[in-house]
Amino acid sequence: QVQLVESGGGLVQAGGSLRLSCVVPGSIFSSGTMGWYRQRPGDQRELVASVDSGGSTNYADSVKGRFAISRDNAKNTVYLLMNSLKSADTAVYYCNAYGILSTTLEVYDYWGQGTQVTVSS
């Protein structure tokens, strides 16, 4: 069973910053698209940001200019730097790895366990 290990969530005041980290097994990190999603109570899970194997990024409109996603290939880690946090950013944040295994051509879609981010106003 593939595990994505997230860390970095917590409680922060509005206007503050947090950085989330997600360690991904090396066998899938190099080929996959890494993403951060979030889910507020009562809402569906939504994409926050993603970065593909070539480094191209994509952001939800609500976080553009405030959040930055990056990947460290040497550490098999994807990060989400969150600045200027708002109460609306309060949610459980999930790491996702999606792609195709080069050896078997099998599609994979793995999730982390989630980390709580709470922004107090």
Side-chain angles (χ1 to χ4, degrees):
Q1 181 73 16
V2 173
Q3 284 190 319
L4 308 185
V5 181
E6 302 154 341
S7 61
L11 174 65
V12 64
Q13 288 188 332
S17 299
L18 280 176
R19 189 180 76 161
L20 306 182
S21 302
C22 177
V23 180
V24 182
S27 58
I28 63 175
F29 183 84
S30 60
S31 63
T33 293
M34 304 297 145
W36 286 97
Y37 290 71
R38 67 187 181 188
Q39 187 167 18
R40 303 183 188 89
D43 288 348
Q44 290 188 336
R45 194 171 296 186
E46 63 176 0
L47 175 67
V48 175
S50 65
V51 56
D52 67 16
S53 57
S56 295
T57 58
N58 181 47
Y59 294 93
D61 287 343
S62 60
V63 306
K64 283 180 180 177
R66 299 189 298 122
F67 290 12
I69 190 170
S70 61
R71 56 194 296 165
D72 185 333
N73 293 334
K75 297 182 178 180
N76 293 340
T77 302
V78 59
Y79 302 99
L80 183 69
L81 176 61
M82 304 183 292
N83 295 318
S84 302
L85 282 161
K86 307 173 182 179
S87 57
D89 297 316
T90 295
V92 178
Y93 284 71
Y94 297 90
C95 178
N96 174 260
Y98 176 84
I100 299 175
L101 288 172
S102 59
T103 52
T104 63
L105 300 183
E106 178 183 1
V107 175
Y108 59 85
D109 186 7
Y110 299 122
W111 293 89
Q113 78 284 0
T115 184
Q116 177 70 46
V117 171
T118 302
V119 183
S120 63
S121 56

